Amino acid sequence: MHGNYDGYESPVTLSDIMLKMVMVLFVLWLAAEIMAKKKHEEANIQKKAEFIATAEWNKDRDPNVDCDVDLWARDPDGNTVYFSHKEGTGMNIERDDLGARNDTIVNSSGQMVPNPEDKEYWYLRVIKPGEYSINVHLYGCKYNDVYSSQTRVRNLPVDVELIKLNPRMQIVDRRTVILEKVWDEKTAFNFTLDSMGNVVSVTQIQVKMVETAQTPGGPNSQ
């Protein structure tokens, strides 16, 4: 019989080890959930918009059609956003869709996934009273497996839609714009907002946004 129990330590059991592992995994899971929630909230803040305009082409997924259409937008102050200047004062172009050349996107998990649609988005986040213009521009197309801004492509239909999001979603206008050849530019909408963000008029008066310096193969070409 032992007479001295000083320094006696109970052995570490398997159940103790498993409990500690479960606690560590729970802490890691909780941290991941907090980070995911934070990213989701930041994304919601970034995506908050008052209006959205979309331009979509090749909806029938014709394999012989591979064109790059650009969405351009101008606010009442003359600020313009487009593929190489996506951020403006209270508005932005979401993505420069190049046709089949970039038919993938990064999802919320950071993975590359297929995105077969040919579509660009414009967001208006801050209301300024006055007239806005939404244009589409046929930058280039592929011909005989060669992509060029010189390709002869005629009569490409582009479906353009303007959507008001608040206080409830409603389609303001939608129409199909025919881009007759490469480098053709057409105005889909001119719409005027009042100080409360109400649409007071929608017209289709043609305005030019593509800079004269932006010729095919020029310094701002894609």
Side-chain angles (χ1 to χ4, degrees):
M1 182 176 181
H2 298 284
N4 186 359
Y5 292 92
D6 292 341
Y8 176 80
E9 296 180 0
S10 61
V12 178
T13 64
L14 180 61
S15 60
D16 293 331
I17 295 173
M18 294 297 295
L19 179 60
K20 290 180 179 178
M21 290 179 63
V22 169
M23 292 177 64
V24 170
L25 290 174
F26 174 77
V27 171
L28 292 175
W29 172 83
L30 184 61
E33 285 293 306
I34 293 173
M35 290 297 295
K37 183 179 179 181
K38 182 178 179 181
K39 289 181 178 179
H40 181 69
E41 291 174 347
E42 290 174 349
N44 284 341
I45 293 173
Q46 182 179 359
K47 297 298 183 185
K48 183 181 182 302
E50 300 294 335
F51 286 84
I52 296 176
T54 64
E56 185 173 10
W57 62 101
N58 195 21
K59 291 176 68 174
D60 59 0
R61 307 309 308 163
D62 183 344
N64 297 314
V65 176
D66 184 10
C67 292
D68 176 0
V69 174
D70 291 318
L71 187 61
W72 290 61
R74 179 175 292 167
D75 72 7
D77 295 332
N79 300 308
T80 304
V81 290
Y82 56 101
F83 67 87
S84 66
H85 184 66
K86 296 185 179 68
E87 297 290 333
T89 306
M91 61 179 179
N92 68 286
I93 298 293
E94 176 64 17
R95 177 174 180 264
D96 181 20
D97 195 313
L98 306 177
R101 292 185 294 161
N102 65 342
D103 274 353
T104 57
I105 59 173
V106 179
N107 65 14
S108 58
S109 301
Q111 300 172 317
M112 295 295 294
V113 296
N115 180 46
E117 69 176 6
D118 293 333
K119 194 171 187 178
E120 292 198 359
Y121 299 80
W122 169 79
Y123 291 87
L124 178 64
R125 302 187 303 274
V126 177
I127 296 295
K128 294 180 185 177
E131 186 178 80
Y132 296 77
S133 294
I134 304 294
N135 282 19
V136 288
H137 174 238
L138 181 51
Y139 185 86
C141 295
K142 186 165 71 173
Y143 179 71
N144 288 339
D145 295 326
V146 176
Y147 192 90
S148 172
S149 54
Q150 306 288 352
T151 304
R152 294 174 61 85
V153 173
R154 296 189 180 278
N155 299 331
L156 177 70
V158 181
D159 294 324
V160 190
E161 192 169 66
L162 177 63
I163 304 168
K164 179 176 169 60
L165 297 179
N166 297 309
R168 64 182 183 277
M169 189 179 80
Q170 66 179 93
I171 297 173
V172 177
D173 205 339
R174 58 157 65 106
R175 62 191 62 186
T176 299
V177 176
I178 303 299
L179 296 177
E180 299 174 4
K181 58 184 178 180
V182 169
W183 216 249
D184 193 12
E185 177 189 8
K186 295 278 180 64
T187 298
F189 311 111
N190 322 98
F191 65 98
T192 302
L193 302 181
D194 64 18
S195 59
M196 300 299 292
N198 299 309
V199 180
V200 296
S201 69
V202 180
T203 61
Q204 196 180 16
I205 300 171
Q206 297 299 308
V207 297
K208 292 296 183 181
M209 298 187 205
V210 178
E211 300 167 356
T212 55
Q214 218 174 343
T215 53
N220 291 322
S221 59
Q222 299 182 68

